[in-house]
Amino acid sequence: HVFKCTGKGSSGGYLKQKSHEEFKVQFTPSMPGTFSSESFKAYTPGGNVATVKITGTAIGPSVTLSQSTFQFGSVVAGKSVRRVLDIENHSDLPVHWQIDSECLGTFALGADR
């Protein structure tokens, strides 16, 4: 389950007249981009049902590239021209990334360190 109720009265209990009980609802998604929805219901012996619907969307890391297009212009055959591409992580956590390219393409990626 991605939603969990915790606290003293999270699975049931007894309430005195004109009182309340507090518990916490926790959302722990496992895969970015997924939407979750669940209902929790409280039942009483007299047939009263109180319902709360809980929803959440899991987000993942966010990265951007410094360029979406490169224009190399005219280049003499056999010569090379380089451009710099920067990737930036906007997330609070580290992120693994990779760039896929055409296996027989004319462009190559390399890291300047």
Side-chain angles (χ1 to χ4, degrees):
H1 296 285
V2 295
F3 295 108
K4 181 170 90 173
C5 290
T6 59
K8 181 181 173 187
S10 62
S11 62
Y14 177 79
L15 285 176
K16 295 180 181 179
Q17 61 273 24
K18 306 290 183 184
S19 67
H20 73 277
E21 186 76 40
E22 184 178 284
F23 58 94
K24 295 179 178 154
V25 180
Q26 179 178 318
F27 177 50
T28 310
S30 59
M31 180 179 280
T34 57
F35 174 79
S36 301
S37 177
E38 200 168 321
S39 292
F40 289 94
K41 296 182 180 185
Y43 298 92
T44 66
N48 180 288
V49 180
T51 304
V52 61
K53 183 176 181 177
I54 304 167
T55 62
T57 301
I59 59 171
S62 173
V63 298
T64 57
L65 298 174
S66 58
Q67 301 287 324
S68 61
T69 304
F70 280 113
Q71 178 52 262
F72 282 86
S74 299
V75 179
V76 175
K79 299 291 182 179
S80 295
V81 175
R82 289 182 178 209
R83 300 285 188 263
V84 175
L85 179 64
D86 186 51
I87 184 168
E88 184 175 352
N89 180 4
H90 302 279
S91 309
D92 294 331
L93 300 171
V95 61
H96 293 278
W97 63 274
Q98 73 180 44
I99 293 179
D100 293 328
S101 62
E102 297 177 23
C103 63
L104 298 175
T106 55
F107 295 93
L109 295 174
D112 281 343
R113 299 205 189 265

